[in-house]
Amino acid sequence: MYKVKKILLSLSLLLWANMTLAGSQYEVTITNITKGQTFTPQFVAIHDRTIQIFDVGGAASDELEILAESGDTGPLTDLLSTKPRHIGEMATIPGLLEPGKSASVIVNANSRHRYLSFAAMLIPTNDTFVGLRGVRLPRHGQRTYTALGYDAGTEANDQNCVHIPGPRCGGEGLSVEKSDQDEGFIYVSNGFHDLGSQDDAENEILGPLVYDWRNPIARINIQRLR
């Protein structure tokens, strides 16, 4: 009898856990806490625990490379759309998110898809993105996370406006040619540096005084609405 009651209790708890997230809704608020970097449109995905949109120490996917170098979230959205069993709702918050500003989006979750990931490019940079991988959605109330800046390792960090897109530089986005200066793996970004070039002014080499940062660089608040 004791074993039967224990099994019934376990089943009841499992059923309750699934019901608490079935048809749930969340407001996700992203705050840029850098001094001089702007976030490109922000990608948000709800998914199961098998999904990792990036792997620190591993090579960036082509889709993540495009996001990290040009800010385009479309290819990553398309890629994840091919995995409907593992992916729930996805959204891109449009527009640029400037330092000290916040942007929000409402997303839906269910008992299968209980994790959230987020990514956006930093401009002006060559291939730096801010990201959050597979954090658990709160069952009630709210939860706040901080996110780091990551170098995608797909483009040399020359800090040259010619190779940086966005309103500040207006340079190229996705780099076509590869270089032996590309690191080849994703790592926690160490920010901007004083490159000390005599041609800095002529070539619009951006310096750390305005554009450097220290991690973490974003605050993500996830509040359950229902």
Side-chain angles (χ1 to χ4, degrees), residues 10-166:
S10 298
L11 290 174
S12 297
L13 290 173
L14 180 61
L15 179 61
W16 175 84
N18 287 333
M19 289 178 63
T20 57
L21 280 173
S24 53
Q25 190 175 75
Y26 294 87
E27 181 178 44
V28 181
T29 301
I30 300 163
T31 303
N32 180 345
I33 57 175
T34 70
K35 176 186 176 184
Q37 289 289 335
T38 295
F39 299 167
T40 59
Q42 306 97 61
F43 172 80
V44 176
I46 304 298
H47 53 82
D48 67 16
R49 67 193 312 169
T50 67
I51 295 294
Q52 293 288 337
I53 64 172
F54 63 94
D55 178 23
V56 179
S61 65
D62 293 341
E63 293 78 11
L64 183 67
E65 177 181 0
I66 293 170
L67 184 149
E69 292 188 20
S70 68
D72 184 359
T73 66
L76 184 58
T77 301
D78 292 342
L79 173 66
L80 295 176
S81 295
T82 65
K83 306 176 181 182
R85 177 178 175 81
H86 304 288
I87 289 291
E89 190 164 300
M90 292 183 286
T92 292
I93 305 175
L96 302 179
L97 187 58
E98 298 178 346
K101 303 296 184 180
S102 298
S104 299
V105 65
I106 293 176
V107 292
N108 297 292
N110 55 48
S111 58
R112 174 180 291 177
H113 306 122
R114 298 178 290 174
Y115 297 84
L116 177 142
S117 292
F118 143 75
M121 181 189 181
L122 269 65
I123 51 173
T125 71
N126 292 100
D127 61 343
T128 300
F129 67 97
V130 55
L132 197 64
R133 298 179 302 159
V135 298
R136 190 73 175 261
L137 294 169
R139 293 192 181 279
H140 53 80
Q142 60 185 337
R143 186 173 296 175
T144 300
Y145 298 90
T146 54
L148 307 182
Y150 297 93
D151 194 298
T154 56
E155 183 176 346
N157 299 319
D158 58 16
Q159 299 170 196
N160 192 328
C161 265
V162 172
H163 303 134
I164 298 175

Side-chain angles (χ1 to χ4, degrees), residues 207-221:
L209 183 62
V210 175
Y211 300 108
D212 194 23
W213 66 87
R214 293 293 180 269
N215 282 308
I217 61 174
R219 185 174 68 245
I220 296 89
N221 182 261

